[in-house]
Amino acid sequence: MPIGIKIFSIAASMLGLLLVVVYVSSERLRRVNEEIDSLVEYTIPITDAVARLDVRALEQEVLLERIFKHYTREPIDRAQIAEEIAEFDRRTLEIEEALSGAATRAERTIALANAHNERQELTTVVSMLEAAGREYRNFHDRAVRVLSLLQDGALTEAQQLQQDLVEDEANLDRSLEAILLEMESFTVASARSAQQHQETVQQLSLTIALLATLLGGMGAWLVTLGLVHPIRQLIRQMRAIQHGDFNVRATVSSRDEVAILADAFDRMVGELQSKLELEETFGRYVDSRAIEQLLASAEDPKTTGDCQIVTVSFADVEGFSEINETRSPDALVATIDQYLTLMSQPIGQQSGVIDKFIHTTVMGFWSPPFCDTSDRARLACNAALAQRKQLPQIERLLRSHLPDDTPLSDLHLRVGIASGSLVVGNMGSATAKKSYTVMGDTVNIAARLKGVSKQYGVEIALDDSTEMLLGDRYATRELDWIKVVGKEEPVRVYELLGWQDELDDETRQRQDEFARGLAAYRHRQWDTAQKHFSACSMGDRPDPPALLYLNRIETLRDRPLPENWDGVWQLTSK
């Protein structure tokens, strides 16, 4: 049931109870009004009429006594007697009207009475009024005869008849008194009935109000509980998702909007879990940050690419591939996976992006938004120096997968790093595989510099654009000014020796001697250059670049060179 219907049902129930209260109260109040109207319109007027009848009867009795006394006095005052008789007749008319009016009102009240007992009481009153009427007429007839006898002078007979008249007066008084008592009882009963109706209305209103409060409170509590409990559950599950737990599911038993929300929540969690699984799955093939960027723009993936200043690295371990060529495919794959993991970790740890694996060579690059533009060259060199520290672990990896008697040649790190403008983006076939990669001449230079590092016998070779961005924390030396294969413009190549604060004195001396030898070499001062290059190889630590220059000097010393010779060396192999 939808929440709106639940709330409407509670409100409708309260309104229904209110209508019941209003109806019952109105019905009871109508009964009260009827009782009051009956008292005002009928009961009280009947009582007043009977009371007046009683008064007028007593007045007639008094008038008869006064008339009788007038006849017993001498001289007889005829005028006064006539006036008293006229007053007696007026009282007779009033009594007749009172009797008739009281009987009529009583009959009307009987017709309008709702309760059976009320009709019985009123019927009794009508009977009593009729009896009182008969008593009065007996009294009246006897009084008229007494007056007639008095007018005829039959005083003795009138006195005898007056004794019977006294009895008629007593009977009439008792009848009227009984009627008044009956009307009083009826009035009290009607008043009590009205009071009971009023009390019933109050009690019923209070009872229904308490019932409405109880039912409304219970209904509101149930609806609130039905809303708050699943919402709190959803909040706990959302917090679980914030902590990386995507195995939560909403369990809502209702069928209202909260259930719809819970169902949508479950679908959202399922989509998030699928997205996470997708990231984890493709993270084994593509850098996870590149996946996040692609998923963030999944509705409108960008395929045109951006032109950015990027630092590119090609890293390989010389000798690793040759050792593994004789192994079985399964063993080769297992060893290669561990090797590539060791070589890739420093790139990822330094905010770089793994672009691809070319056999045992790892290509990575540094560009926004994965790192700041000002840090890209330093991060790439940090990664190369960290790869150099991985060599002992890579050697242990090889030995763990080879027989103990297998000879193991020396392993040498070869890294080429170049910086420049490249196109960065999600590129590839419209119908097949795409790759988040970089394209441009800087990539080729970095790849050639990896070959240069092997030819010059160094571990890490940089181009001049990268070396200019490093700062004083890094120790470098210029190796040569060369033209790589496929490029006409010469490139200054540097060797990354390490961090300045970690260089030993011997390496610093070699760095200085090599710089002096290179300067003499470019000025064709062969003997001086030979002296400094020879000084670079100390004891059992030969310097491969210096040895290369010594061989080159032997070649160039007797060769005629053009006047514009600038020392640029043309490489003939990659």
Side-chain angles (χ1 to χ4, degrees), residues 489-505:
E489 295 182 2
V491 178
R492 291 190 183 274
V493 182
Y494 294 80
E495 178 190 5
L496 176 63
L497 299 174
W499 287 279
Q500 284 284 7
D501 54 1
E502 294 183 1
L503 290 186
D504 53 28
D505 294 338

Side-chain angles (χ1 to χ4, degrees), residues 14 44 134 155 174 186 194 208 222 226 290 337 420 499 529:
M14 298 300 100
I44 294 176
R134 288 192 299 270
L155 182 60
R174 283 193 295 271
F186 183 76
I208 296 180
L222 290 174
D337 285 347
W499 287 279

Side-chain angles (χ1 to χ4, degrees), residues 20 80 160 312 337 494 538 557:
V20 171
Q80 184 65 33
Q160 292 177 352
V312 183
D337 285 347
Y494 294 80
M538 304 174 183
R557 184 189 298 271

Side-chain angles (χ1 to χ4, degrees), residues 159-195:
Q159 288 177 344
Q160 292 177 352
L161 189 61
Q162 186 181 10
Q163 296 300 322
D164 297 331
L165 187 60
V166 172
E167 185 178 353
D168 291 337
E169 290 177 354
N171 292 334
L172 178 60
D173 290 340
R174 283 193 295 271
S175 297
L176 293 177
E177 184 178 356
I179 294 173
L180 288 174
L181 291 174
E182 188 68 25
M183 292 306 300
E184 181 182 359
S185 175
F186 183 76
T187 302
V188 171
S190 297
R192 287 179 178 175
S193 177
Q195 184 179 5

Side-chain angles (χ1 to χ4, degrees), residues 131-233:
R134 288 192 299 270
E135 293 291 338
Y136 175 74
R137 282 188 286 274
N138 290 334
F139 166 77
H140 182 268
D141 292 344
R142 199 178 298 275
V144 170
R145 288 178 61 192
V146 170
L147 290 175
S148 177
L149 290 173
L150 289 174
Q151 289 176 353
D152 293 339
L155 182 60
T156 302
E157 294 179 5
Q159 288 177 344
Q160 292 177 352
L161 189 61
Q162 186 181 10
Q163 296 300 322
D164 297 331
L165 187 60
V166 172
E167 185 178 353
D168 291 337
E169 290 177 354
N171 292 334
L172 178 60
D173 290 340
R174 283 193 295 271
S175 297
L176 293 177
E177 184 178 356
I179 294 173
L180 288 174
L181 291 174
E182 188 68 25
M183 292 306 300
E184 181 182 359
S185 175
F186 183 76
T187 302
V188 171
S190 297
R192 287 179 178 175
S193 177
Q195 184 179 5
Q196 289 176 355
H197 288 312
Q198 184 176 3
E199 290 176 354
T200 301
V201 170
Q202 293 176 347
Q203 293 176 357
L204 185 61
S205 298
L206 180 60
T207 301
I208 296 180
L210 292 176
L211 181 62
T213 302
L214 179 61
L215 294 178
M218 290 181 61
W221 179 76
L222 290 174
V223 172
T224 303
L225 183 63
L227 290 174
V228 172
H229 179 70
I231 289 176
R232 286 178 177 173
Q233 184 182 14

